[in-house]
Amino acid sequence: VDLLAIATSARGYVAADLAAVVREAVRHMRKLGLTRLNQICLEAGLAAIPPSLTRAHRFTPDPQAEWSRIGGY
């Protein structure tokens, strides 16, 4: 398994997402009658489970923000 390729494909995934990806990969593995996870199974898991963090949720810092405006003070 090429873990670097999987990690590169897993942008925006949090730990719970990755756990779901592995569960889905195991389902795919069993459906194919395999006894070990392989690259294809993990890629199928990534395709089936969307990442929680998307571009819309990314934080963009405001360079004009002052500490007095943060936290409601």
Side-chain angles (χ1 to χ4, degrees):
V1 174
D2 184 359
L3 291 179
L4 184 57
I6 296 296
T8 302
S9 300
R11 279 199 147 157
Y13 285 80
V14 297
D17 297 336
L18 294 173
V21 166
V22 172
R23 279 193 304 272
E24 189 64 32
V26 169
R27 282 190 198 108
H28 188 73
M29 175 194 76
R30 288 180 179 158
K31 185 168 68 171
L32 295 176
L34 302 174
T35 57
R36 296 180 72 172
L37 280 176
N38 60 25
Q39 191 78 18
I40 294 169
C41 296
L42 288 169
E43 288 171 358
L46 283 170
I49 305 296
S52 291
L53 301 177
T54 60
R55 195 174 292 268
H57 292 98
R58 292 199 181 172
F59 173 73
T60 306
D62 179 6
Q64 303 301 320
E66 298 174 6
W67 282 108
S68 61
R69 290 179 37 205
I70 298 173
Y73 296 105

